[in-house]
Amino acid sequence: MIATVIGLGNEFRRDDGLGPAVAAAVQRLDLADVKVVTVQNDPVDVLDAVGDTDLAIIIDAASGGGAIPGRIRRWLPQQQPPIAVSSHGLDLAAVLALGRALGRAPTRTVVFTVDAADVGHGCGLSPAVAAAVPRAVAAVVDEIHGTHG
């Protein structure tokens, strides 16, 4: 397996469904040597998903100070996350550090976050986050093909 795309989130918490929406769109592309999974917020599920791949690409909604709904950010686990990374209480940086400590880490991990507007109960992404889905999919595909720029 060359790459695993992991969509984090819960589609019943509005913009927190961003990760699963992007993962579903990537899955529809049927890319060779790419596994696509969706994880709600269980650290063990994240570690299981990333442990057997060369490249893990994680997509998650982000919230916190300075959030601009729909903004996409790319960061690497060795960097400080740009804002509170998870919109659902999962400390992704800590989970990835644990994976490295346990030897359950891919060769390379890239995280894309999209700033959320609304993570309350309900279905459907806010307009700004929905508009970011195609751009996030393109960023994931670029990362897989090594054309991220």
Side-chain angles (χ1 to χ4, degrees), residues 3-7 55-59 109-112 140 143-144:
T4 300
V5 175
I6 302 147
L55 170 63
I57 301 172
I58 301 172
I59 306 100
T109 302
V110 176
V111 179
F112 288 101
V140 168
E143 198 70 49
I144 291 167

Side-chain angles (χ1 to χ4, degrees), residues 94-114:
V95 171
L96 295 172
L98 176 62
R100 287 190 302 277
L102 296 173
R104 295 178 69 186
T107 306
R108 192 166 67 92
T109 302
V110 176
V111 179
F112 288 101
T113 60
V114 176

Side-chain angles (χ1 to χ4, degrees), residues 52-102:
D52 66 344
T53 190
D54 296 322
L55 170 63
I57 301 172
I58 301 172
I59 306 100
D60 195 9
S63 59
I68 299 171
R71 176 175 45 186
I72 299 172
R73 301 192 212 196
R74 177 186 182 274
W75 63 275
L76 306 174
Q78 61 270 26
Q79 298 171 323
Q80 178 67 30
I83 61 174
V85 171
S86 180
S87 61
H88 41 76
L90 178 69
D91 184 344
L92 187 54
V95 171
L96 295 172
L98 176 62
R100 287 190 302 277
L102 296 173

Side-chain angles (χ1 to χ4, degrees), residues 33 42 85:
D33 296 321
D42 186 332
V85 171

Side-chain angles (χ1 to χ4, degrees), residues 16 31 33 35 51 56 59 65 70 90 111 113 115 123 146 148:
D16 192 45
L31 301 170
D33 296 321
K35 177 173 80 171
I59 306 100
L90 178 69
V111 179
T113 60
D115 292 2
C123 294
H148 133 357

